[in-house]
Amino acid sequence: LIMSACEMLTEPGLDNQFNDDRVLNDPAFAEGILLRGYVLLPSDYTFDETATDDAVSNERSNIYLRMATGEWSPQFNPLGNWDTAYDAIFNLNYFLSVVDRVEWSWQSDDRNEMFRNKFKGEALALRGYYYFKLLERFGGVASDGQLLGVPYLTEVISTEENWELPRNTYDECIQLIQKDLEEAMALLPYMWE
């Protein structure tokens, strides 16, 4: 007994690593994955006018002053939302892959379905929003004049899969964003009661 207790103390446990069982059996934990999409939404007022001729900032820590004085780089890109958006999209895609298997309410099947549709609609709307923001910032024009989109992921990518994904076309991205938003509108209630 003492030897087995010592072994437990010498072998560290996995911290903050949960499997599907925790997600599927704890509705509050599963909802937390969806809420990550809300947490990553922009939440503060930015002084974007200091990036134009309308205003000037003398504050040394101002991001636009730092950009104008040569600090803008891949490591310091305050205008970039690539990492944040794909972080949210990863969580939303994972949430969408498990939402139908979570028991949201034990009171009734109707109530369970109501929660499922609401959460699925929210996740689809958030995913559409994040892809719109990515397309707005990183869409472009190729050298041949073709409009470029961004890689549009609708499923979770594991660590073993290829992460070097090609861009979707601009039109494909618009169609997928529109599809996500239309599905969200069909699932979300018109009026909250």
Side-chain angles (χ1 to χ4, degrees):
L1 183 64
I2 293 173
M3 292 305 286
S4 64
C6 290
E7 187 175 313
M8 287 174 49
L9 294 175
T10 59
E11 293 296 321
L14 298 174
D15 291 337
N16 296 325
Q17 295 183 13
F18 300 103
N19 56 20
D20 283 348
D21 289 338
R22 171 73 190 269
V23 175
L24 298 176
N25 295 315
D26 186 351
F29 189 82
E31 187 180 2
I33 297 168
L34 170 65
L35 294 178
R36 179 74 177 151
Y38 284 104
V39 167
L40 294 173
L41 288 171
S43 62
D44 58 343
Y45 178 77
T46 61
F47 295 93
D48 291 347
E49 63 273 3
T50 59
T52 69
D53 293 339
D54 294 338
V56 175
S57 175
N58 292 326
E59 181 186 341
R60 293 284 176 216
S61 64
N62 181 280
I63 61 172
Y64 298 108
L65 180 65
R66 290 176 63 190
M67 288 168 50
T69 56
E71 287 187 60
W72 197 1
S73 71
Q75 287 78 30
F76 176 72
N77 184 4
L79 301 179
N81 62 342
W82 186 272
D83 294 342
T84 304
Y86 275 112
D87 180 7
I89 289 166
F90 176 84
N91 283 293
L92 294 168
N93 284 341
Y94 178 70
F95 180 80
L96 288 167
S97 75
V98 299
V99 67
D100 291 329
R101 297 183 289 154
V102 175
E103 184 179 355
W104 296 103
S105 174
W106 58 88
Q107 294 177 345
S108 72
D109 289 338
D110 291 338
R111 190 171 169 86
N112 196 32
E113 186 68 21
M114 181 188 72
F115 276 109
R116 182 177 294 122
N117 288 341
K118 175 186 173 291
F119 290 146
K120 193 184 298 187
E122 288 179 27
L124 288 166
L126 284 168
R127 185 171 72 184
Y129 168 81
Y130 280 110
Y131 273 118
F132 170 75
K133 295 312 264 178
L134 281 170
L135 191 60
E136 180 182 60
R137 184 84 31 109
F138 296 103
V141 181
S143 59
D144 62 358
Q146 178 185 0
L147 292 176
L148 299 173
V150 295
Y152 207 101
L153 308 172
T154 57
E155 296 177 359
V156 178
I157 295 181
S158 71
T159 54
E160 291 82 33
E161 293 182 61
N162 182 13
W163 284 66
E164 294 180 16
L165 301 170
R167 289 177 178 243
N168 289 64
T169 66
Y170 187 85
D171 288 337
E172 288 172 338
C173 287
I174 293 294
Q175 289 170 5
L176 289 166
I177 291 169
Q178 186 172 356
K179 180 178 180 271
D180 277 350
L181 296 178
E182 286 173 357
E183 285 181 29
M185 286 191 295
L187 290 168
L188 291 170
Y190 177 73
M191 184 180 300
W192 297 100
E193 296 179 18

